Amino acid sequence: MASAEELRQAISSNREKLSAALSAIGDRWETGDDGGWSPRAIAEHCIGREFDLGGIAAAAMRGEAADRRYARTNEPGE
């Protein structure tokens, strides 16, 4: 199992990768490839999931069960 510091480093690294990807999008922000998710939808999904997982991690660190609001699926728009 990863340590708290390893998890923080992974989160920071992935945030940097997301930032770089968003910077490279240009005028394709609202359009997806081949009927897929648009870069905007992907970014919104990632940000929402990071918030959700942060809540789960915070609850776990306090020795509590995660709140029901964090038990969502990975469907767009949820």
Side-chain angles (χ1 to χ4, degrees), residues 9-60:
Q9 289 174 356
I11 290 168
S12 293
S13 173
N14 287 326
R15 283 180 178 171
E16 289 173 11
K17 291 174 188 175
L18 177 60
S19 179
L22 293 176
S23 296
I25 289 169
D27 62 350
R28 296 181 338 117
W29 182 245
E30 298 285 345
T31 60
D33 294 333
D34 300 324
W37 288 19
S38 68
R40 178 181 178 162
I42 293 168
E44 290 172 348
H45 175 80
C46 291
I47 292 165
R49 291 306 166 262
E50 182 172 309
F51 177 81
D52 294 345
L53 293 173
I56 291 168

Side-chain angles (χ1 to χ4, degrees), residues 65-76:
D67 190 291
R68 285 185 60 130
R69 67 186 165 135
Y70 299 119
R72 300 187 309 183
T73 65
N74 288 329
E75 295 302 316

